[in-house]
Amino acid sequence: MGSVSRSSLDQKLAMAKRCSHEGVVAGTKAAMVATVASAIPTLASVRMIPWARSFLNPAAQALIVSSAAGAAYFIVADKTVLAAARKNSFKDAYPADIKA
């Protein structure tokens, strides 16, 4: 294996940090949307449906909302990081004069 320059490693580290930050931002936005999208029907059903009023205590309601938010965060963050990594790997794979 050939030696790798310090600036090349620093550049790759900076790109990895930027990609992970993009994933965090996108995941947070998705989690906020999922929280609202799952909280409204959950709270409405607890108020209007007798079965839900009887069986969905506040802990169950919080579990429904938080699991939707957590799933949305991790799915979107993972997809964003993978898309950024794929885009950057293709950019480095081809010479500048060839369009991929």
Side-chain angles (χ1 to χ4, degrees):
M1 268 178 72
S3 64
V4 178
S5 69
R6 171 97 174 150
S7 64
S8 174
L9 290 176
D10 288 342
Q11 184 180 16
K12 287 183 180 184
L13 180 63
M15 189 175 297
K17 285 182 180 180
R18 185 179 50 81
C19 291
S20 64
H21 179 71
E22 288 176 10
V24 168
V25 170
T28 303
K29 288 179 183 178
M32 288 189 283
V33 170
T35 298
V36 172
S38 63
I40 291 171
T42 301
L43 296 175
S45 66
V46 167
R47 297 210 181 242
M48 292 187 244
I49 301 171
W51 176 90
R53 185 178 300 131
S54 300
F55 292 108
L56 294 179
N57 62 10
Q61 295 169 34
L63 181 62
I64 291 169
V65 173
S66 64
S67 61
Y73 175 84
F74 286 111
I75 290 170
V76 171
D78 185 52
K79 285 181 160 256
T80 304
V81 169
L82 289 175
R86 187 177 305 114
K87 180 181 73 173
N88 291 328
S89 69
F90 286 146
K91 182 173 63 175
D92 294 337
Y94 297 105
D97 59 341
I98 298 176
K99 301 281 187 201

